Amino acid sequence: MRKIILRNRYRIFPFNEPARDLRVLNKPLWLYQRDVLARHVTEEREVDSLAEVDSRRVETLVYRDNLFFDQFFLDEFIQRARESGKACQVAFALDDRAIKSHAIHLQRGIHIEGDVYVADMWYYPHGIEPNVHPLVIDTEAREMGYYHVPTHMSNRRGDLVYQVPTRAFCSIEHWVHTITANVIFGVYAQAARRDRELEDSVGKQLRILWRAMLERKQALSSSELVHIGRNCSIDPTAIIRGPTYIGDHVSIGPGVVVDVSVIGDNVDIMTGGQVMLSVVSDRCFLPFRAALFMSVMMIDSMVAQNTCLQFCSIGRGTFIGAGNTFTDFNLVPKPIRAVHGEELEETGMPVVGGCVGHHCFIGSGLVVYPARAIESDVILLASPERRVIDRNVYYESSDHLAIKGGANLHSRMYER
C-alpha cells in the first residue's frame, strides 16, 4: 500500500513551526506517523493537494501530516476499510466520549458532516476516487480520574476525569493539543489499554504478580510494566511505577518518583524529582525537587529546582528557572480559554497549564496563569513590573530586546 501525506503548513504558536515537527511521545510527529505505518506501506509521497496524485489504481492511504494516531487506531481503520472494499474516510460517532471531550476543541480538522464527525484520513482500495463513505471508528474510551477536588473549589465538578481512548486520534492545531496527544491520548492511553488487558486476562495478572515476586518489587514496578534501557543508573530509593518507558543512559537519583511516563535517552532526574503522567524527551535535565505532572518536555530542555509544571508543554532547548509556578486552575467560575488565531476559544480542559516555545530562557520567581503561552526565543526575567504572566508573551517583548533597545517594548498580548 502507498501512503500520500497532505502537507499542513500552519505554524503552531508559540513554537512557530508545523505540527509535523513537534514531538509526540519523544519523536517528531512525522517520524511517529512513519513508524506506526511501517507495517502497512511500501511507498510514500508528500503533496499539497490530491490533485498532485497520479491516477494509478493501487491501494492508497491519504492523511494530513498534523494528525496524531496510534497503532491501535490505525490497524482498526485499515482492517475495517479493507473488509468493506470501499473508499472510506475516518469518522467518529457524535457521542464518542474521547473525541467529544478532548479532540474537537481549538481545531478545525475534525468536523461534523451529516450525523458523524469526519477527519482528514482516507483509504482508497483502487486509487484516488471522488466518492468516499464515512467509516465510524470507536475510540473505546475509558473514564479515568486523576484527582479529587472538593466540590466548593472545583466549580461543583468534584472528581475530575478524562475520557481516555484506547484507540487514539486527534488533530494537532494548537499547543494544547501537544498535551492531549502526549498525555491524555499518549501515556494515559497506554495505561488505559493495560488496565483493560488485566481486566480481561487472569493470566496476565498472574504473570505480573509472578514477575514482581521474582524481582521482589511491588507489582506496578516490575519489569512487566516498566521498561528500563541500557546503561541506566537508578537509585534504589527511587519509585518507578508502570506502564513506564525509560530510555538508555538515564540517571535517576534518590527519592525520585516516576509514574506512568515516558523518559527519553540521556535524561537526568536528580534527588526528589517527580514525573507523573508526563513525557520527558531526550537529553532533558531535572535538578533536585523539580516536578512534572501531565506535562511534556521536548528535547534538550531543563526545568530547575522547585519548579512544578502541571498540564504544561515545553519546547526544545528551553530553560525554566527555579521556583516558577505554572498555575492550571481557573479561580473564576468560567471555562479556561486560549488564543487560537486571533480569537479566544474554550480549551475544553477543566484545568490546563501554560506553554513555553523553543529556545526560551525563563528566569526565577514567575507566576504564569492558565492557558498562557510564551513565544519561542524569548528571554523573560522577573521584575516588579512583570512577575505575573497574565497574557501571552510574544518575541517583541523579550527582555533581551528591551536590554538592547534601552526600553521595554510593548508586546502583542491578548486577554484570556
Side-chain angles (χ1 to χ4, degrees), residues 214-368:
L214 288 176
E215 297 172 349
R216 297 183 180 182
K217 294 181 178 178
Q218 198 266 350
L220 293 177
S221 299
S222 73
S223 59
E224 284 288 330
L225 296 177
V226 177
H227 168 88
I228 299 176
R230 297 177 292 108
N231 300 323
C232 292
S233 173
I234 300 177
D235 190 273
T237 63
I239 299 172
I240 303 175
R241 293 189 287 257
T244 286
Y245 177 92
I246 297 175
D248 301 332
H249 311 290
V250 172
S251 176
I252 296 179
V256 170
V257 176
V258 178
D259 190 5
V260 189
S261 296
V262 171
I263 310 295
D265 298 337
N266 300 291
V267 170
D268 192 351
I269 306 174
M270 293 183 64
T271 304
Q274 296 193 38
V275 179
M276 306 176 70
L277 289 165
S278 297
V279 176
V280 181
S281 299
D282 299 341
R283 302 187 299 277
C284 285
F285 178 40
L286 278 71
F288 59 92
R289 294 197 303 275
L292 272 64
F293 180 68
M294 299 192 84
S295 296
V296 54
M297 290 177 64
M298 301 182 194
I299 59 173
D300 296 314
S301 290
M302 172 179 170
V303 174
Q305 57 268 24
N306 298 321
T307 289
C308 178
L309 303 182
Q310 298 194 109
F311 306 91
C312 293
S313 182
I314 307 300
R316 63 177 176 267
T318 285
F319 170 82
I320 309 292
N324 286 301
T325 302
F326 284 73
T327 61
D328 62 357
F329 183 74
N330 194 358
L331 299 180
V332 180
K334 293 182 179 180
I336 298 177
R337 299 188 296 168
V339 175
H340 186 209
E342 297 295 326
E343 303 292 334
L344 284 167
E345 297 185 19
E346 292 186 14
T347 63
M349 305 273 277
V351 288
V352 65
C355 181
V356 182
H358 302 315
H359 309 295
C360 291
F361 291 86
I362 310 301
S364 301
L366 291 164
V367 177
V368 181

Side-chain angles (χ1 to χ4, degrees), residues 29-48:
L29 180 58
W30 67 266
L31 179 58
Y32 182 90
Q33 293 170 337
R34 179 175 295 179
D35 290 347
V36 168
L37 282 157
R39 70 174 70 175
H40 296 289
V41 303
T42 56
E43 60 176 300
E44 71 173 60
R45 182 181 175 190
E46 294 189 13
V47 298
D48 290 317

Side-chain angles (χ1 to χ4, degrees), residues 70 164-168 183-194:
D70 63 20
V164 181
T166 53
R167 300 185 187 123
V183 179
I184 308 172
F185 288 17
V187 293
Y188 221 164
Q190 293 172 6
R193 283 190 292 270
R194 178 63 72 172

Side-chain angles (χ1 to χ4, degrees), residues 100-204:
K100 183 178 179 181
S101 299
H102 307 303
I104 61 173
H105 302 279
L106 300 169
Q107 60 86 50
R108 306 291 183 267
I110 302 174
H111 56 279
I112 295 178
E113 283 190 8
D115 58 353
V116 295
Y117 289 112
V118 296
D120 292 342
M121 176 180 280
W122 300 267
Y123 169 83
Y124 300 97
H126 308 296
I128 307 298
E129 57 183 272
N131 298 318
V132 295
H133 303 275
L135 178 59
V136 175
I137 304 296
D138 186 358
T139 62
E140 296 188 347
R142 295 172 63 90
E143 185 173 277
M144 301 185 72
Y146 51 99
Y147 54 67
H148 176 81
V149 178
T151 303
H152 67 281
M153 295 176 60
S154 61
N155 301 333
R156 308 196 176 207
R157 291 190 185 96
D159 290 315
L160 300 180
V161 298
Y162 281 128
Q163 305 299 328
V164 181
T166 53
R167 300 185 187 123
F169 183 99
C170 68
S171 178
I172 300 179
E173 303 176 37
H174 192 274
W175 67 260
V176 170
H177 301 147
T178 64
I179 301 173
T180 303
N182 279 282
V183 179
I184 308 172
F185 288 17
V187 293
Y188 221 164
Q190 293 172 6
R193 283 190 292 270
R194 178 63 72 172
D195 285 352
R196 185 181 62 185
E197 290 173 0
L198 294 178
E199 290 173 2
D200 296 341
S201 174
V202 175
K204 290 184 178 180

